[in-house]
Amino acid sequence: MSSLDVEEVIETIEMIRMRNLDVRAVTLGINLLDRAHPDPEELARDVREKIVEVAGDLVEVVEEVEDELGVPIVNKRIAVTPCSIVAASAVRKEGREAVLTLAEALDEAAEEVGVDYLGGYTALVYDGFTEADEAVLDTIPEAIEGTERLCASVVVADERYGINMDAVYRTAEAVKETAERTDGHGCARLVALTNAPENTPFMAGAFHGVGQPEACVNVGISGPGVVRAVVEELKDVDFRTLHDEIKRTAFKITRVGELVGRRVAERLGVEFGAVDLSLAPTPEEGDSVAEILEGIGLESCGCPGSTAALHLLMDAVKKGGAAATSRHGGYSEAFIPVSEDAGMARAAEEALTLEKLEAMTAVCSVGIDMVVVPGDTPVETIAGIIADEAAIGVVTGKPTAVRIIPAPGKEPGDEFEMGGLLGRAPVMDVSDYRPTMFRRDGRIPPKFPR
Amino acid sequence: MTRAVVTVIGADRPGIVAGISSVLAEHNANIEDISQTVLRDLFAMVMLVDLSEADVSVGKLREELQKAGEELGVDVIVQHEDVYRAMHRV
């Protein structure tokens, strides 16, 4: 019918209605450097003003596009220039209070424009600390406790500079204190990053990099449910055929993201940045990356073969997705969070261990994500987990992250409820042996180039 | 040009085409093409509708068609044509 194929129409409807195809996140990046001011109160006021000015129509525009296209768009978010840069002169004048005032202002602005998260309470410390970085790092637990929407990130390592082990340890301390102050829940808004992409739409690690334009829209696609359905249908095909079919599906999913991103950016009058090709799971039935891997051929995600299955999935998603957008960005990998993926959470009671999860992140960015560990896990152990993930990132050149929740009072096997899209997960076992390396100071150097 | 794809899914019964197309006519939405098929155990009617002269947005039309669909006992899905073009055309 006028070049529209009925089968394609039905396939699209099936993807959206039955397989949870949606656009996961539309994130508006906003430059705040022009609002830097030594007086914390003035800084806070100017920043709030700018966010409301630039992002005031964001939610309305996204909802308009959602309505027009008939494709659900789940999250609307904002990413801003790292606070450690924006607040540098205010920190010089007022110390840590300056960044806490800014944190409050950002949270208020996020609430006013109606977004669910705002990212950018960020310290870029992979090669050392500035005074303002220290202020941000030291105040993360307090800032998260005092806000509802603010996301914090610490860039602890970079393939070009190595791993700042002091930053790793201090981030682990922040994780621990955040957990204690917020009964674990605040840790969903705190992430340690390596090779941080400056244009990711996904939280908690989104911030607006200094090389980015004044404002831009980045889009995160979704679609584990759609890929899972494809894999389920192709039980008996060879690997190459399976790879090809996943690739085709990734292409279609990404095209939807590209369409939405272009339209939202155009209506907001800002640049369209990148499409993050990541497959982002949800706790919804069937919308699971773990179940895709199991569909490729695992008894339970985390058993031997899981890393190979994940590699096949990622390669196909990236090759298909890259053809569908002229600019991919962010992580562009499968997210393998434990609590946000019901299949992963189930696997954590079966084959999946923390160590296997880490091994899987060697072929897939994003890293140890939304993992719940016992509340009494020592800071050194959390730091060790962050450092290991940073080492994988430094060596592979991929962005990797650690978002870990030491749930107070919880022990291995207990259930921990994060709530909503954050899901629930069993508390995973961690090694009883702890690293003693953090007695040392300084940095682990970068990898020697091949 | 704004074109929407209207898909009607459900058990066959008299009056479905009339019920849906009368809503479209009310809003001056022109049916350019129509196709019916039984696919994956579903009876499906797919219409390509031109909205350039229509007095409603895609969203509003969806709302009204879904209401009409409820009365007819069928499921109505309305999406912008661009979604299909983006996904299935290189």
Side-chain angles (χ1 to χ4, degrees):
Chain A
M1 56 188 306
S2 299
S3 86
L4 270 188
D5 185 299
V6 173
E7 185 142 3
E8 287 172 356
V9 172
I10 301 292
E11 184 192 342
T12 308
I13 290 169
E14 220 172 32
M15 281 176 160
I16 292 172
R17 300 196 121 201
M18 282 131 88
R19 315 275 184 228
N20 303 318
L21 173 67
D22 53 37
V23 169
R24 181 51 41 79
V26 170
T27 302
L28 177 60
I30 304 173
N31 167 44
L32 294 182
L33 284 174
D34 59 337
R35 304 300 155 116
H37 198 283
D39 181 75
E41 293 299 331
E42 283 201 44
L43 170 68
R45 198 190 54 226
D46 287 0
V47 159
R48 201 166 40 222
E49 241 175 47
K50 177 153 188 190
I51 291 172
V52 173
E53 188 185 304
V54 180
D57 295 334
L58 174 66
V59 171
E60 196 183 319
V61 164
V62 171
E63 283 170 359
E64 189 182 291
V65 170
E66 183 178 28
D67 202 40
E68 180 179 301
L69 296 178
V71 176
I73 303 170
V74 183
N75 297 306
K76 298 106 191 161
R77 294 158 172 185
I78 291 172
V80 298
T81 314
C83 287
S84 61
I85 304 175
V86 177
S89 59
V91 167
R92 184 170 161 248
K93 189 161 174 266
E94 299 277 345
R96 68 202 300 277
E97 287 309 313
V99 274
L100 283 169
T101 307
L102 180 58
E104 218 172 281
L106 291 170
D107 203 52
E108 282 168 14
E111 188 181 359
E112 189 173 341
V113 301
V115 294
D116 57 351
Y117 288 123
L118 181 147
Y121 203 71
T122 301
L124 308 173
V125 290
Y126 45 82
D127 202 25
F129 305 92
T130 64
E131 199 185 338
D133 285 329
E134 304 228 23
V136 168
L137 196 42
D138 288 346
T139 52
I140 283 173
E142 211 174 323
I144 290 181
E145 188 189 13
T147 57
E148 281 175 23
R149 295 170 169 81
L150 188 69
C151 291
S153 49
V154 187
V155 188
V156 297
D158 187 285
E159 62 173 317
R160 295 162 300 176
Y161 302 94
I163 308 168
N164 181 344
M165 292 295 274
D166 301 328
V168 166
Y169 189 79
R170 288 173 70 172
T171 306
E173 286 180 317
V175 168
K176 196 75 181 165
E177 194 189 329
T178 301
E180 280 155 13
R181 281 173 179 261
T182 62
D183 197 26
H185 294 272
C187 293
R189 291 190 277 132
L190 168 56
V191 62
L193 299 168
T194 297
N195 299 328
E198 300 194 349
N199 58 357
T200 180
F202 287 111
M203 294 293 170
F207 62 87
H208 190 71
V210 290
Q212 298 285 306
E214 185 62 26
C216 68
V217 166
N218 296 308
V219 169
I221 58 159
S222 167
V226 180
V227 176
R228 179 180 163 266
V230 168
V231 173
E232 288 279 304
E233 276 166 30
L234 299 173
K235 281 197 167 59
D236 301 316
V237 303
D238 64 85
F239 288 114
R240 192 162 170 178
T241 309
L242 182 64
H243 182 277
D244 194 52
E245 284 302 320
I246 296 173
K247 200 174 67 182
R248 286 166 190 272
T249 307
F251 175 86
K252 291 173 188 170
I253 298 167
T254 309
R255 290 288 281 184
V256 177
E258 172 93 4
L259 179 67
V260 166
R262 270 182 199 279
R263 209 156 281 206
V264 171
E266 193 187 311
R267 294 200 187 160
L268 285 173
V270 302
E271 279 189 46
F272 175 34
V275 178
D276 191 320
L277 310 179
S278 302
L279 289 181
T282 68
E284 292 278 320
E285 176 68 31
D287 205 21
S288 160
V289 171
E291 286 172 9
I292 299 174
L293 302 180
E294 289 168 356
I296 290 172
L298 303 171
E299 190 181 346
S300 168
C301 179
C303 74
S306 299
T307 310
L310 184 56
H311 162 60
L312 178 138
L313 170 67
M314 278 336 306
D315 192 64
V317 165
K318 283 196 270 195
K319 284 175 179 164
T325 174
S326 45
R327 278 197 73 198
H328 66 278
Y331 296 92
S332 287
E333 298 268 357
F335 285 99
I336 46 173
V338 177
S339 76
E340 288 166 310
D341 182 323
M344 235 22 185
R346 191 233 328 121
E349 290 175 335
E350 300 167 355
L352 187 67
T353 61
L354 197 52
E355 288 72 21
K356 185 61 183 178
L357 194 60
E358 180 194 316
M360 289 164 72
T361 66
V363 298
C364 157
S365 300
V366 188
I368 303 282
D369 195 23
M370 294 302 279
V371 168
V372 187
V373 296
D376 60 4
T377 307
V379 171
E380 289 87 346
T381 303
I382 294 170
I385 292 168
I386 296 173
D388 284 344
E389 201 53 53
I392 290 173
V394 164
V395 173
T396 61
K398 289 166 172 294
T400 55
V402 174
R403 192 160 52 144
I404 192 165
I405 301 129
K410 297 283 184 185
E411 289 173 15
D414 287 353
E415 186 85 14
F416 188 71
E417 179 75 47
M418 294 299 293
L421 275 177
L422 298 174
R424 54 186 10 233
V427 177
M428 292 175 88
D429 215 352
V430 291
S431 173
D432 288 335
Y433 298 95
R434 48 175 102 176
T436 54
M437 57 173 28
F438 294 97
R439 285 174 309 197
R440 304 177 197 276
D441 295 327
R443 277 163 255 163
I444 294 180
K447 182 183 81 157
F448 194 79
R450 259 195 319 151
Chain B
M1 181 188 278
T2 302
R3 291 202 293 197
V5 178
V6 177
T7 308
V8 182
I9 297 171
D12 196 13
R13 54 171 283 190
I16 297 175
V17 179
I20 298 298
S21 50
S22 68
V23 176
L24 295 171
E26 250 170 61
H27 292 290
N28 210 25
N30 187 36
I31 302 171
E32 288 195 346
D33 203 346
I34 182 166
S35 161
Q36 289 181 37
T37 184
V38 176
L39 200 68
R40 294 175 203 176
D41 304 328
L42 289 173
F43 165 78
M45 177 173 75
V46 183
M47 294 171 169
L48 186 62
V49 179
D50 178 12
L51 298 179
S52 15
E53 302 292 325
D55 59 6
V56 278
S57 66
V58 180
K60 182 78 185 139
L61 183 68
R62 178 183 304 120
E63 214 175 275
E64 293 201 17
L65 286 173
Q66 283 175 344
K67 212 171 128 229
E70 261 172 49
E71 284 162 20
L72 294 162
V74 291
D75 209 357
V76 184
I77 298 122
V78 181
Q79 276 173 316
H80 202 289
E81 182 201 18
D82 291 354
V83 175
Y84 302 95
R85 297 235 178 268
M87 282 175 82
H88 302 284
R89 298 283 182 271
V90 180

